[in-house]
Amino acid sequence: MGAARWAVGTVGAVTMFALARPVRAQPEPAPADDPSAEPARASPRAATMGTITGTVEAPELDAPLAGATVTIVGSKAVTTTDDEGRYELSAPPGVRTVRATVPGFRPEERIVNVIGGAAAPLDFALSTQLQLNETIVVVGARIPRTNVEATVPIDVVSRDDIARSGRTQTSRVLHSLAPSYLSTPQTIADGSDHIDPASLRGLGPDQVLILVNGKRRHRSALLHVNSTFGRGTVGTDLNAIAVGSIERIEILRDGAATQYGSDAIAGVINIVTRDTTAVVDVSSQAGITASRDGAQLKTSVNYGFKLGQGFVNVTGEFLQREATDRAGAYTGTVYSDDPVLDAQLLDARGRSSSDFAMKIGEAASTAGIGAYNLEVPVAPAVVLYSFGDLSHRRGRATGFYRLPKDEAQNVPQLFPTGFLPVIRPTLDDSAVTVGMRRRGAWNVDASLTHGTSSFRFDIENSVNASLGTSSPTTFAAGSVRASGTVANFDLLHKLSTRLVRAAAIVLGSELRVERYQIVAGDEPSYALGESTYGNPPQPKLPGAQVFPGFQPNNEIDRTRDNIGVYGGVESSITRRIALDAGGRFENYSDFGQSWIGKVAGRATLAPGLALRSAASTGFRAPSLQQLWFSNVSTLFLPDSTGVLQPAQVLTSNNASPVTRAFGIPQLREERSTNLSGGVAYRPLDNLSLSLDGYVIRLRDRIVLTSQFTSDNPIVADILSPFAGVSQAQFFANAVNTDTKGLDVVADYALATSAGTLTLSLLANFSKTEVTRVNLPRSLRQRFSEDPAQLRTFFFGRAAQNQLEDAVPRQKGFVSARYEWARLSVLTRASYFGKVRYRSDTPGTDETFGGKVLFDLDVGWQVTNSVSLGIGADNLLNTFPDRQAKVANTSFGRFVYNRNVSQFGTSGGFYYGKLQLTLF
């Protein structure tokens, strides 16, 4: 990630039961004689403005620095140097602090006295003795610390890193820049086609907590229920956050439930939004894949302005992304299961089976996003702040082709050649935070955050076969909605004591209220009609094909609340030793209480060499979606030979009598134990190395079970009231898992007369294993006659595969960034380890080998305000291994496996960029 990215920990740690809640750093009010303080407003008769003029040079290179940014600290005055390194700034009279910065050089601040009507000379000589940047981070602690001082590993992805990634959505940006984070597009997976399930350190989407400016982000309304990675989980939709609104992304790679409450088991991702003023940033990017599909156009505008002594920063972003198609030609039968008869029927119609191919790939999307960030001083040492965003998206993805021979799913009078059904969802997301910070003997931060998520399912080009010719071909299939409101009250008090170098008490409380709703679709989307097929007559399947609508008995409107209190101590015992400790208590209205704690620390052994470690306990409450979701859906699942067959599957909520009839107990929280330790070494200012190992033990992990099938007479009897339903699945605390891993980070920067070179190596090695399957006693008693079948029903090989091998166990990057004058070049090689597919039919197991992808980004600063760029993600158009087992291809249609996630199947993406920066 370059010099602008933190090289995870150059100082070290020994860690603690740290309870620290983060607060954005707020500067102390500037004293009256502070040269950086904003001058008093001048009257119309005040002295005329002066000018500051000079050059910015690199003496060690004996060269001027073009494009350097020169700013008067504490004001909106900013400019850049010309080709000869010269600049000129207007400034009011008085003592001013001026700052000069150039990527790859140490920034420099100097003080100058400006006299009205005169020119004040001020030259800068920037050093090429590079030191990898340190950043004051919001995540992980309440007292201000840089990422290199933190007691646990924290990565920082800068705005410059983001701009050079070539990705157009926030989750995809992180996937391309953070080795411990993985998020790939899914296909033929209903709602999961539009919200990517993500993994941090090999764990699931619901075991990583997302913050924005240190405040908890609400989760998506969508529950992943298809056979993809993340099945049965609810994540946070990062793609609802505008890329152009982000200043940096902080990734805390350690358990942090003590600091933040539920969900922060794998770690925390904190998105810090922009606070710049007096600059208009306009960026536009357009690109297309090597297969000449998946075209994307994104435009983003960011502008900030002063509001008294505060600021407002606003962002608007638009994205248009077309679908990709990586489907193979269909080789199965179309009109009849008899291959000979089918060939005759195809010939008679002048068609071939390949004419009935599906569309398998990344979904299309149109998105509009707006965001703002505001801070205004309202009293001495008191700041009012607010930030928020609003997004609206429309998607388009298809399902399985309903062929003419699929009589139970088709109405030949409406679709004589079958049909390819389409899901057209609408995703709406919003969030707003309002708060106030006060600095004093006790630093106080009080805030209120409210966020909402809505996912509406609209179905096109489909039928409810049971309604026959009276069926519509478009359906409103209902929606899911979720919201969360969080009230925080945080206190920090710095202790004055001679026992330690510095210490602070952190205290606080959090009240969270969550709501989840399911809204039924229109009646034709779920209705059971009277149409039949075959001899003897059999009922056709009810509900809209591809996604049967939510029924009135699925409708719910549930809320819960929880309150948490926490306290702890953060300290620097000496210059070489830091130690934090804390604890947290939470009480939920729907399942009970939780006590957790953490201890963390770091110890500097020698200049540039440090150790850090942490030990903590944590928990994750079952989401409202996992507790209350229910529906009947059409899933294509492998039969005993591995061939995909359609099935109507009931997902029954945790409180349902059906769930109890199967012997599934009430859900309880997941429990975790986290241990981590690492070493960080900085032998030179421009070289940083770190290694961090971790073990995460999860007990009572909540999963969506495998399918209980009606081949079993007990299952058939319980499901008999549900027309057309042949299988059922439930949420349960089904397994215990252990996750072990290692993170490696190395950064090196070198400045020469021929430019600046920054090298980075980042890698994550992670392995998750299921250590125990928790078959409930009530379930064992219900299915006592066939314990082997029960194990497959409850948690089969495919379910275990999704936890252990559906994402790579190794992921890493090696990148080189070169900058000279107005030219910048970034190259990156990304390695994604192998993944394995295991189904409940062992004969269809496959392994897909590791791959190396190459990225390239070239930029040219045309003028001080205009820059151009071209680039490629996956330059060599590399794809995952193709499926070799014929049964897994579904008659040739699935060239690539859709159940495991490696790096997607879009192939090479080539783009051009335009950036306008107006001062």
Side-chain angles (χ1 to χ4, degrees):
M1 298 181 192
R5 171 202 175 285
W6 180 57
V8 175
T10 57
V11 192
V14 146
T15 322
M16 46 189 257
F17 273 71
L19 173 77
R21 291 202 57 92
V23 177
R24 297 188 65 188
Q26 176 185 342
E28 298 283 357
D33 58 349
D34 186 344
S36 66
E38 188 81 343
R41 291 185 177 274
S43 69
R45 298 184 182 183
T48 58
M49 298 284 282
T51 58
I52 305 172
T53 63
T55 60
V56 181
E57 297 180 336
E60 297 166 42
L61 303 181
D62 194 23
L65 292 174
T69 300
V70 184
T71 308
I72 298 178
V73 177
S75 79
K76 62 182 180 180
V78 62
T79 189
T80 56
T81 57
D82 61 19
D83 290 340
E84 296 181 1
R86 295 178 299 197
Y87 74 93
E88 181 174 311
L89 273 172
S90 294
V95 177
R96 305 288 160 218
T97 299
V98 184
R99 180 179 175 87
T101 59
V102 178
F105 292 78
R106 281 186 175 175
E108 182 178 334
E109 288 187 1
R110 300 192 62 191
I111 297 175
V112 64
N113 185 26
V114 180
I115 299 174
L122 185 65
D123 296 332
F124 291 88
L126 303 191
S127 171
T128 58
Q129 299 295 316
L130 292 180
Q131 180 168 330
L132 299 174
N133 289 354
E134 300 176 7
T135 304
I136 297 291
V137 291
V138 175
V139 70
R142 288 282 305 278
I143 59 176
R145 282 177 176 161
T146 69
N147 45 0
V148 299
E149 294 173 331
T151 54
V152 291
I154 301 174
D155 295 324
V156 175
V157 180
S158 72
R159 180 153 49 98
D160 194 47
D161 297 326
I162 294 170
R164 296 176 185 276
S165 72
R167 302 299 178 100
T168 54
Q169 293 178 290
T170 300
S171 185
R172 309 286 174 84
V173 167
L174 271 178
H175 172 80
S176 67
L177 295 178
S180 57
Y181 181 90
L182 189 137
S183 176
T184 60
Q186 307 300 310
T187 185
I188 316 296
D190 294 346
S192 299
D193 286 0
H194 308 277
I195 296 180
D196 305 336
S199 171
L200 184 69
R201 285 187 157 188
L203 294 180
D206 53 4
Q207 283 138 358
V208 56
L209 177 64
I210 307 299
L211 308 176
V212 176
N213 294 330
K215 305 300 180 182
R216 176 183 284 264
R217 178 81 176 186
H218 63 278
R219 291 198 174 273
S220 166
L222 180 73
L223 177 72
H224 299 291
V225 295
N226 279 65
S227 299
T228 65
F229 171 74
R231 178 174 177 267
T233 66
V234 180
T236 299
D237 187 4
L238 284 177
N239 292 336
I241 300 174
V243 176
S245 69
I246 299 173
E247 177 64 27
R248 66 180 185 272
I249 302 174
E250 304 167 351
I251 306 171
L252 169 62
R253 295 184 279 110
D254 195 64
T258 302
Q259 291 101 313
Y260 303 104
S262 177
D263 309 335
I265 291 176
V268 178
I269 296 173
N270 182 45
I271 296 174
V272 180
T273 58
R274 297 182 63 176
D275 57 5
T276 54
T277 60
V279 176
V280 180
D281 277 336
V282 182
S283 64
S284 186
Q285 176 176 319
I288 195 168
T289 71
S291 301
R292 299 183 181 180
D293 61 5
Q296 296 187 37
L297 173 64
K298 190 188 84 168
T299 299
S300 180
V301 180
N302 178 271
Y303 174 62
F305 56 91
K306 288 284 187 179
L307 188 63
Q309 297 298 310
F311 69 87
V312 178
N313 184 280
V314 294
T315 303
E317 194 161 284
F318 171 80
L319 171 66
Q320 177 71 53
R321 186 187 69 219
E322 300 299 328
T324 63
D325 184 9
R326 302 294 176 262
Y330 179 59
T331 60
T333 58
V334 176
Y335 290 95
S336 170
D337 287 328
D338 182 344
V340 176
L341 177 58
D342 189 64
Q344 294 173 351
L345 293 172
L346 284 169
D347 287 342
R349 293 165 172 77
R351 308 290 293 273
S352 69
S353 59
S354 62
D355 295 330
F356 297 84
M358 292 165 54
K359 295 186 181 296
I360 299 172
E362 188 171 354
S365 178
T366 302
I369 309 176
Y372 77 94
N373 187 18
L374 172 153
E375 286 192 9
V376 180
V378 293
V382 179
V383 172
L384 172 71
Y385 64 88
S386 181
F387 53 87
D389 53 74
L390 177 70
S391 71
H392 176 77
R393 289 179 287 168
R394 286 280 285 167
R396 187 181 191 278
T398 59
F400 277 83
Y401 203 108
R402 268 56 171 183
L403 299 163
K405 70 175 183 176
D406 298 326
E407 297 179 81
Q409 304 168 66
N410 190 22
V411 179
Q413 297 89 332
L414 298 178
F415 294 102
T417 60
F419 59 94
L420 186 65
V422 176
I423 298 179
R424 289 292 305 270
T426 301
L427 292 77
D428 289 299
D429 208 283
S430 66
V432 63
T433 295
V434 178
M436 187 171 292
R437 290 193 300 268
R438 177 185 179 276
R439 296 181 65 89
W442 285 88
N443 289 352
V444 180
D445 187 336
S447 66
L448 183 67
T449 299
H450 180 70
T452 64
S453 170
S454 172
F455 196 111
R456 190 182 77 213
F457 292 88
D458 293 322
I459 311 302
E460 299 176 356
N461 200 49
S462 182
V463 294
N464 179 335
S466 73
L467 297 179
T469 55
S470 64
S471 171
T473 58
T474 61
F475 304 87
S479 62
V480 289
R481 303 170 185 170
S483 65
T485 302
V486 183
N488 282 120
F489 186 74
D490 302 320
L491 298 170
L492 181 147
H493 178 61
K494 294 183 179 179
L495 300 175
S496 297
T497 175
R498 297 180 180 180
L499 299 177
V500 298
R501 180 169 175 260
I505 296 174
V506 292
L507 301 169
S509 64
E510 178 180 276
L511 172 65
R512 188 160 81 250
V513 179
E514 298 172 283
R515 184 182 185 187
Y516 178 61
Q517 298 170 278
I518 297 178
V519 180
D522 58 24
E523 186 174 357
S525 72
Y526 59 80
L528 171 62
E530 298 180 352
S531 184
T532 62
Y533 74 100
N535 189 17
Q538 301 177 61
K540 289 191 175 184
L541 292 178
Q545 285 297 306
V546 79
F547 190 89
F550 291 108
Q551 303 177 28
N553 61 5
N554 298 138
E555 286 194 319
I556 57 101
D557 186 351
R558 294 285 177 172
T559 61
R560 76 170 174 205
D561 60 78
N562 77 287
I563 187 166
V565 293
Y566 54 89
V569 177
E570 300 180 5
S571 65
S572 295
I573 297 175
T574 70
R575 290 182 178 272
R576 294 179 175 270
I577 297 176
L579 184 64
D580 303 336
R584 185 184 191 94
F585 168 77
E586 291 218 12
N587 182 68
Y588 279 76
S589 61
D590 56 354
F591 79 86
Q593 302 172 345
S594 179
W595 290 89
I596 54 176
K598 182 172 182 177
V599 62
R602 63 175 175 82
T604 302
L605 305 182
L609 177 64
L611 299 177
R612 57 174 167 237
S613 66
S616 65
T617 57
F619 77 103
R620 188 186 73 81
S623 67
L624 286 176
Q625 289 89 327
Q626 292 172 327
L627 287 166
W628 295 107
F629 179 84
S630 66
N631 82 333
V632 174
S633 58
T634 304
L635 301 182
F636 281 74
L637 301 169
D639 61 16
S640 58
T641 65
V643 176
L644 295 176
Q645 301 290 352
Q648 298 292 96
V649 179
L650 168 69
T651 303
S652 180
N653 74 48
N654 192 242
S656 166
V658 175
T659 304
R660 295 293 172 264
F662 274 84
I664 303 294
Q666 183 177 353
L667 287 178
R668 56 187 180 274
E669 76 274 21
E670 298 174 349
R671 291 281 179 172
S672 69
T673 302
N674 292 59
L675 300 174
S676 65
V679 58
Y681 183 45
R682 179 177 282 179
L684 303 170
D685 282 347
N686 60 337
L687 174 63
S688 176
L689 310 167
S690 70
L691 290 90
D692 289 277
Y694 57 91
V695 176
I696 304 170
R697 175 158 293 176
L698 262 169
R699 300 176 298 281
D700 298 325
R701 186 165 176 176
I702 300 170
V703 303
L704 185 57
T705 67
S706 301
Q707 287 81 29
F708 291 72
T709 68
S710 58
D711 294 339
N712 182 288
I714 298 174
V715 176
D717 181 61
I718 299 174
L719 294 181
S720 58
F722 299 91
V725 172
S726 62
Q727 303 189 29
Q729 57 190 13
F730 313 92
F731 286 93
N733 296 96
V735 294
N736 297 352
T737 63
D738 280 354
T739 299
K740 302 174 183 178
L742 177 69
D743 292 318
V744 180
V745 178
D747 280 347
Y748 177 69
L750 176 66
T752 70
S753 59
T756 302
L757 177 66
T758 305
L759 303 175
S760 295
L761 181 151
L762 307 95
N764 171 257
F765 305 89
S766 184
K767 180 180 180 180
T768 296
E769 291 183 310
V770 174
T771 58
R772 180 180 175 181
V773 177
N774 305 317
L775 279 168
R777 177 182 301 176
S778 54
L779 191 65
R780 294 198 307 267
Q781 293 172 345
R782 193 76 173 88
F783 292 87
S784 58
E785 295 180 2
D786 195 345
Q789 186 183 59
L790 174 59
R791 173 67 161 77
T792 300
F793 282 171
F794 186 68
F795 190 76
R797 294 176 81 249
Q800 186 163 340
N801 178 72
Q802 287 162 356
L803 295 185
E804 293 185 338
D805 293 302
V807 296
R809 294 183 175 183
Q810 305 87 28
K811 181 185 174 187
F813 310 129
V814 176
S815 66
R817 178 175 170 182
Y818 174 73
E819 293 179 308
W820 177 74
R822 295 181 179 271
L823 173 69
S824 66
V825 180
L826 172 69
T827 61
R828 179 170 47 238
S830 305
Y831 175 74
F832 295 86
K834 65 183 178 182
V835 291
R836 300 175 180 86
Y837 170 67
R838 292 181 295 166
S839 72
D840 292 327
T841 306
T844 61
D845 291 357
E846 292 195 69
T847 298
F848 307 100
K851 300 289 182 180
V852 178
L853 278 59
F854 294 92
D855 301 334
L856 175 67
D857 185 275
V858 180
W860 178 258
Q861 191 74 37
V862 180
T863 68
N864 290 342
S865 299
V866 180
S867 64
L868 300 175
I870 58 172
D873 284 334
N874 193 354
L875 177 67
L876 302 182
N877 196 31
T878 301
F879 287 89
D881 288 344
R882 292 173 172 246
Q883 299 195 112
K885 300 289 181 69
V886 175
N888 292 336
T889 67
S890 184
F891 301 103
R893 294 179 289 192
F894 287 95
V895 178
Y896 309 103
N897 192 286
R898 71 186 180 113
N899 302 108
V900 295
S901 296
Q902 202 168 11
F903 52 85
T905 61
S906 293
F909 180 74
Y910 309 100
Y911 58 86
K913 298 186 293 186
L914 169 66
Q915 176 83 32
L916 301 177
T917 304
L918 308 175
F919 299 100

